[in-house]
Structures are given as C-alpha cells and as structure tokens.
Amino acid sequence: MARIAVGFHDDRAISIKDFTMATTNNNSCSCKCGSTQAAPVYPQQLTGMDIMVRALKMVGIDTMYGLVGIPVTELAYIAQQQGIRFVGFRHEQQAGMAAATHGYLTGKPGVLLTVSSLGFLNGLTATTNATVNCYPMIQISGSSVREPIDLDQGNYEALDQYNVAKGLVKAAYRVNKPEDIPTAVVRAYRAAISGRPGGVYLDVTETCLGAVVNSADVEKYFYTPVDLCPAMPPAAEAVARAADMLAAARKPAIIIGKGAAFARVEDQLKKLVDTTGMPYLPMSMGKGVLPDTGDLSALSCRSTIMGQADVVILAGARLNWLLSRGHGKWSPDTKFIQFDIEPTEIDCNRPIAAPVIGDLASSLDAFNAAMATRKMSMDPTWVPSLQAETKEKNTKFAARLSENASAQPMNHWTALGAIKPVMAANPDVILINEGANTLDDTRDTLDMALPRHRVDCATWAIMGMGIGSSIGAAVSTGKSVVAIEGDSAFGFSGMDFSTICRFNLPVTVVIFNNGGIYNGVGVNPSGSADPAPTTLDIHARYDKMGEAFGATTYYVTTPDDLSKSLTEAIASRKPCLIDVQLGADSGKESGHIGFLNPAALEKFTV
Ligand code: ADP
Ligand code: MG
C-alpha cells in the first residue's frame, strides 16, 4: 500500500483512506531507500509526527497553514485527524502571510507548515516579514536527513535550513529527537509571543519526524508549561517620569501603532484619551484602535503634530521610516515618551526622554493610574486648532472624491469614493490592503471604526501579502474580509485565490486594475514591442480567474456597479472577486513614497 511516511522515500499521492489504513497497520518500507526506520504499530507505538501534533495542541494551536510534500504530508493528515484545522495553500509564502495575520489578529502564534528546501525558503519570506512587523508566528519545516547535508553529499532537497533561517527570524530551533519535541514547541511558542513578538523557525528533521517510539514512554516527554505569555509590567519610576512629562506638556499627542492594536489596549487608550483630552494619531494599522472619526482623532494633522507637538507618546509605534525616523518634519524640540516592550527600540533614531518598557496593557494601566493623580497643562487652543484643521482637510478630501466621482475611465478616487460608503456600512469587515497608489489612497479614504480591522504591507512595505493575509484573517476570526489590491500586488499571490474558494471563505478580493506597477503608461525606451518594466495588463479580465475557481465575480467600469457589487459580495459571505477597471493613467510612481526612488521616472511615461 502506498504510504507517505518520513524515512519512506515514496512521494506517491496518499488518500485519506490510505492514511487511515496506514495509521492502523504495521507497514514496512516498500521503496528501496535503505531506511532503517520502521513504521509504527499503533497504538502501542507513535512517531515524532504524532508527538508534534500533540505538543501543538498542548499549547493551544488549533489551525495550521501550509503546503505539504515530503517530509510533512503525514504530519498534516495527523493534525487534521486530531482536530487541528489544516488550511492548504498553493504557495508557502501565502500560507506564511496567513499564519502571520492569524497571529496578529488572535494574539496567539499562527503556524506555518512547509516542506524542505524550496518550500522552506518560500515560507521564510513570510516568517521574516512577521519578524519585521512583530507578528507572532512559527514556521515548522521538515528538513532532510542531516548527515548528508553536513557532508554536502547531494541528498534529496538538502539544505541547512536552520542556519539559513537563523539570521532572518526572531529565534530558530532545530529538533532532532522525538523526546525533545514538546520542549521545542514550547520554546518556539514562547519566543514567538513573549516580549516583542516575531517569526520563529522550528526545524524538524526527517529522522525526528519519522522516529518510532513506544507510546508508554511518550507521556514523560510532556509537561504543562506555566504562563506562556507572561505580563511584563514596567518600572514604577519609568511610569512616574512619563506621567510628569505628559502632565507638563502644552501640546501633547499620542501616536497609536500596530503594537497597540496587537496588545488589545483599546480600552486603556480610550481611558487615557478621555481623561487627558489629548489628540491621537493612528499609524496605518493602528487605525480603528480608537475611531478614526473620533473628536480627538488627529488623523489629518500628521504634519502639524510632527512640527508642533512638544510631547509625543509612542504607543506600540516605532520611530522608523514610516515616521521619518524622527527627523524630517519633526520639530527638534519634540520630546518623546515611548511605550514599548522591546528595550533595544529606545533611542534607535532619536533620544527618547521617557521610555516605559513593559507590555502595553500593564504599562497603560499603570500610566492611567499615575495620570489620575496629576493635572494636565495642555494649551487650551491646541485641540481646537487640530479640530479646525481636520474639518478643513476633510472638506478638501470630500471635494477630491466628488470631483472624481464621474471620471471615465475610473481612477483610484472614483473607485474609492464608491467603496467608502459600503465599507462604512460594514464596519466589522476586515480590510486587507496592498499596492502602491491602491495602498496609500485606500488608507487615506477609508476610515476604520474598530481595532484590528486593517492589515496591510506594514513596516517592510512588501507586496504580495494580500491574499494570504485575507485567508488568515477570515479563518482566524470568522469575519468577512475585503482585500483591496493593486493589480501588480494581486499578481504575487493570485493563484491562492483558489484557496479562498476551496475553503469557501467570506473574502471579497477587489482588484484595482490600472494595468501596471504604479500605473500602466510606462513606455519601453528601446522602442521594441516588449512592455515597459512597469507595464502589466490593462485589459486583463481578473474576474475570469475567479470564475475558474467557482467564485462569484464582477467586472465593473462604473462607480455605481462597484458599490452594488461590493455590497452584494460582502452580504453573500462567499468567495467573490471584483475586477475594477481603472484608466491606465491613474496612479503616480510609487504612490506616496515616490521620493524614495533614486530618480524620477516621468520621462519613461506617456
Ligand atoms: P507601526 O508600524 O504601527 O508604527 P510598529 O510595528 O513599527 O508599528 O511598532 C510596533 C511596536 O509595538 C514595536 O516596537 C513592538 O516592540 C511593540 N509591541 C508589540 N507588542 C507589544 C506589547 N504587547 N506591548 C508593548 N509593545 C509592544
Ligand atoms: Mg497597478
């Protein structure tokens, strides 16, 4: 009987029936691989894979994203059999994006399962991205037998995965013996979730996965880990220093980052803002932690805050490139209070006057208590001036949307003007967003009302996170998801739209097709018929792709059709794809960050 087991170099397909039989029969290796590993006699014996699944369940893992093959196929079947949901993808990178989003939205590490070599490498991009973005996830990868790797003897899918991963992830572990699996899983879990969250790599050798042990011995490998994600309260002096500084501020503001969204501190932040009356400015994924349209929201006053605020609190936000690394428009006189769990973040770009190191929930509880005994000295004109600026900017923004409302072909603003009321009517839909202009203009147009309802390309600014992230969001929360994707961004992960369909997820993918990277008006300067480097397919019918996998699809050229189709798609809670036809000239180079290009591209466009 065909059976895929580790140590059995047989990659023939396995049916569930085969699997069930395989786990109840005593098979020996039928291929000529020379494996010394025998198949287990269930239930008296178990394999490393059985122990792995049990260890994952012990720490509360209920979902696994991945793509199987040698040597992890049977592991996925065992996981499924044991009640862990297995979401199989077409590309490991997307499975990894799903696991990372799962981790971000649930506060527990998402798990990615990959095969050796290429599968491992494909997934590693997502695990590295998770590390940069502080999303908790664990990539578990099978790896081939170690000895021939170490001697470079040309074994099947040989790669020293552990050492490749090590420099790119928060932590990496390799487990070689079945008795170490529970410890390895607990350590990977703790590393992913505690302190600053991140991506963890757990390498499991083929030998370890396939090792057969006596069931009676397995019990002693396990223990109950205590406090998998301990609170890390801040020092009282740090809290007092920060509270004194805020109380003395004339023009304070608080910047809310995705660390605050992840830490689920919306109640503590609401209390802080309500009691102090200070304005807040959300980072992209911090949108909705407090409502974007709240009275104290200074969403439209970023430059004013950078130029004029005297004390700025960073709550789970970093002074990285997204905040000009603390320079540029920032006033040199601004003093920072930084709440973060990671001590090495402090002073990384600008001196921080009052660091508060601890988990945000504990830190904000302590800070709110400290502020209750202090009086604010805020300039009474500060908030009204920001509110007046907000009003003025909102009027200008609304005018931009209405000026473009009937543009033909549609541009980004036409499409977003149509989408805005539909998303406002569905505030509990999770928004996934990537692209260049599609990212920037969507972020600027769509207000978020609820925390953890926006996931985007984030700190690393990577394209190709959208479809995987949509799947992770839908699977981990059960909520409806709308992904607003540039046509180029969608191209990285389009095939995994089929995963949305196979799992019948309530995800609507909206593709803004302007026929190119940035836009579709690039000109090949050589005069040949080849497309320009930025040119894609302005006439592509992405809706037909959706049709191939059984989704409900729409091709829209007018704002009316767009709002109707999106309303219908969200209400259906089924896989849907909306191909939005834009003009090729809609969108500018690199969206809002064209200044990061070494030179302007204008001369290469029509
Ligand atoms: P944004 O892009 O929104 O500014 P970043 O990802 O740059 O957000 O910053 C998030 C910050 O939040 C990181 O410095 C990270 O260490 C911090 N962080 C993550 N989780 C917690 C937590 N539970 N408590 C405190 N800080 C946290
Ligand atoms: Mg495009």
Side-chain angles (χ1 to χ4, degrees), residues 249-255 279 281 301-312 327-336 350 378-379 381-387 389 393:
R250 300 288 294 155
K251 295 183 172 184
I254 178 160
I255 297 186
L281 170 65
C301 309
R302 183 180 154 108
S303 300
T304 307
I305 286 175
M306 289 166 105
Q308 295 183 24
D310 58 349
V311 172
V312 168
H327 303 288
K329 288 182 182 166
W330 281 105
S331 159
D333 301 327
T334 305
K335 285 196 255 166
F336 290 95
R350 257 201 56 174
M378 193 156 59
D379 177 342
T381 66
W382 174 233
V383 167
S385 74
L386 294 172
Q387 286 168 333
E389 182 181 337
K393 294 256 178 68

Side-chain angles (χ1 to χ4, degrees), residues 487-488 512 514-518:
D487 57 329
S488 162
F512 279 10
N514 66 348
I517 299 169
Y518 312 135

